Amino acid sequence: MTELTTYYQNVKRAVRQNLTLYFAAIIVLMMLTSVLLGPPFSRTVTTAGFTYRVDGWFWEKNWLMYLIILVSGLLAVIRGGAAGVKNFKALRNILYMDCDAERLLCIADEGTRYVPYDVYRNQKQARKVAGRQRRYFEQLYVEALLACGQVGVADLYMKNGWKSKRNTLIYRQLSLNIQAHYAYQEQDAVRYRSIMEQGGRLLKRSTALWARLDWLEGRREQAVERLKTTQPRVPYEQMMFYGMLSDYLDELGQPEEARKYADYVIEHGGTLALRSMVLEKRQTKTAESQSE
């Protein structure tokens, strides 16, 4: 797939750029140090007819070289981390910005098995790189499944199909998110609150999850106000807010305002399961009104 090839080409390019940055930083820092302390290596000096050997700072203050190597390594690591995040976000934005859950699901599903032999000549290196990247594709795969409304498939994959480490924050958060979906479907407020209290920082920052807890515990007006007043960070989150508002306002007896939010989701919801549910609800209501 083109997206996966591009992804691994970016990974390969980032590694090369990090190595270049690492060695370039060492050279530049050595030059700056030499401006202040003189030449780094031993040299012969002749003064008043006497010739003697002088050690440079590389030997006299070799701790400086260790510091230069450390600083250069940190710069390369920071730059590499930023490049990795940018590469990951480019795929994640298919869901978060374009609301195309089905496309991301297809890419992420393939990404969990894909080995970039077309990018790396060395097959062993290709398998090694794919192994390190698999955890990102597994995260995207589960997120895409949830966005497609396939909660059961996501739960099964987390329990039986997940190949990366399970003692990670992202695995725990995805697992709790799935459990929260089940608790909400079953209208189990006690269980839902217990799950939220176990959640990590990212889970606890979710406005949609807190609004659902408000709704389950009877604070219906507060749930609506929370969704209306919180600024969505990405279009995907906005679709979630508007989809929930269309349901909640309809149940509160405000069908006209609910319709406004439903219309937006139907127009901009892409391939999200949420859009399909809102559209199905709209069609059901239309059919019922016509039959009357």
Side-chain angles (χ1 to χ4, degrees):
M1 298 181 68
T2 304
E3 292 87 351
L4 294 176
T5 300
T6 301
Y7 179 88
Y8 279 105
Q9 285 174 341
N10 290 337
V11 170
K12 186 178 182 180
R13 186 182 302 111
V15 171
R16 289 177 175 174
Q17 291 175 344
N18 290 344
L19 288 173
T20 301
L21 173 63
Y22 175 64
F23 290 114
I26 289 177
I27 293 171
V28 170
L29 290 174
M30 286 183 69
M31 292 174 64
L32 291 174
T33 305
S34 297
V35 170
L36 298 174
L37 302 179
F41 305 111
S42 300
R43 64 194 185 281
T44 300
V45 178
T46 300
T47 305
F50 294 97
T51 300
Y52 55 94
R53 192 172 185 80
V54 177
D55 289 334
W57 61 263
F58 184 88
W59 304 108
E60 291 181 342
K61 300 178 179 180
N62 55 10
W63 59 270
L64 279 173
M65 197 63 215
Y66 291 116
L67 182 60
I68 287 172
I69 292 172
L70 177 61
V71 171
S72 300
L74 286 174
L75 289 173
V77 168
I78 292 171
R79 193 267 169 198
V85 170
K86 182 179 179 181
N87 203 23
F88 176 71
K89 285 181 68 176
L91 286 180
R92 202 180 197 187
N93 281 344
I94 295 172
L95 173 63
Y96 278 39
M97 302 303 293
D98 302 336
C99 296
D100 196 344
E102 292 180 0
R103 180 176 167 224
L104 180 61
L105 180 61
C106 181
I107 295 170
D109 182 29
E110 180 69 18
T112 60
R113 302 184 301 273
Y114 178 82
V115 180
Y117 294 124
D118 53 337
V119 178
Y120 295 89
R121 295 181 181 178
N122 187 315
Q123 293 193 0
K124 183 178 180 181
Q125 183 184 11
R127 289 192 294 269
K128 185 177 180 181
V129 173
R132 289 198 300 265
Q133 297 297 317
R134 183 178 291 116
R135 66 184 184 274
Y136 301 121
F137 284 103
E138 289 191 311
Q139 176 184 345
L140 291 175
Y141 180 60
V142 174
E143 289 181 352
L145 283 171
L146 294 177
C148 287
Q150 301 181 40
V151 181
V153 178
D155 188 24
L156 189 63
Y157 184 82
M158 293 290 292
K159 292 176 180 176
N160 301 322
W162 190 275
K163 296 179 182 177
S164 304
K165 292 181 179 179
R166 300 191 177 214
N167 58 341
T168 59
L169 179 60
I170 189 61
Y171 181 85
R172 174 178 170 78
Q173 288 176 335
L174 288 172
S175 298
L176 289 174
N177 202 349
I178 291 171
Q179 292 177 39
H181 272 79
Y182 284 136
Y184 185 73
Q185 288 174 357
E186 297 165 6
Q187 297 293 289
D188 190 338
V190 175
R191 183 183 167 204
Y192 194 98
R193 173 168 283 281
S194 175
I195 293 167
M196 289 295 295
E197 290 172 351
Q198 297 175 54
R201 179 175 58 87
L202 292 177
L203 201 66
K204 290 181 178 179
R205 285 172 52 194
S206 173
T207 298
L209 292 178
W210 283 112
R212 285 170 181 159
L213 179 61
D214 289 335
W215 188 264
L216 286 176
E217 293 183 338
R219 298 183 298 275
R220 298 193 164 191
E221 295 292 344
Q222 183 174 326
V224 170
E225 187 65 20
R226 187 191 294 273
L227 292 168
K228 283 184 175 182
T229 57
T230 302
Q231 182 65 34
R233 291 166 292 184
V234 291
Y236 174 52
E237 190 173 57
Q238 186 175 28
M239 293 306 109
M240 291 178 62
F241 289 2
Y242 283 14
M244 293 169 66
L245 281 169
S246 68
D247 281 340
Y248 292 172
L249 289 168
D250 197 40
E251 289 196 35
L252 290 174
Q254 303 176 42
E256 291 303 319
E257 189 175 3
R259 185 179 183 84
K260 176 183 68 174
Y261 291 109
D263 287 343
Y264 191 91
V265 173
I266 292 171
E267 183 178 354
H268 302 284
T271 61
L272 299 177
L274 177 62
R275 177 187 180 276
S276 299
M277 288 187 288
V278 171
L279 184 58
E280 184 179 352
K281 185 177 179 181
R282 168 73 57 81
Q283 292 171 343
T284 301
K285 281 190 172 183
T286 303
E288 288 175 352
S289 64
Q290 291 175 348
S291 63
E292 292 175 359

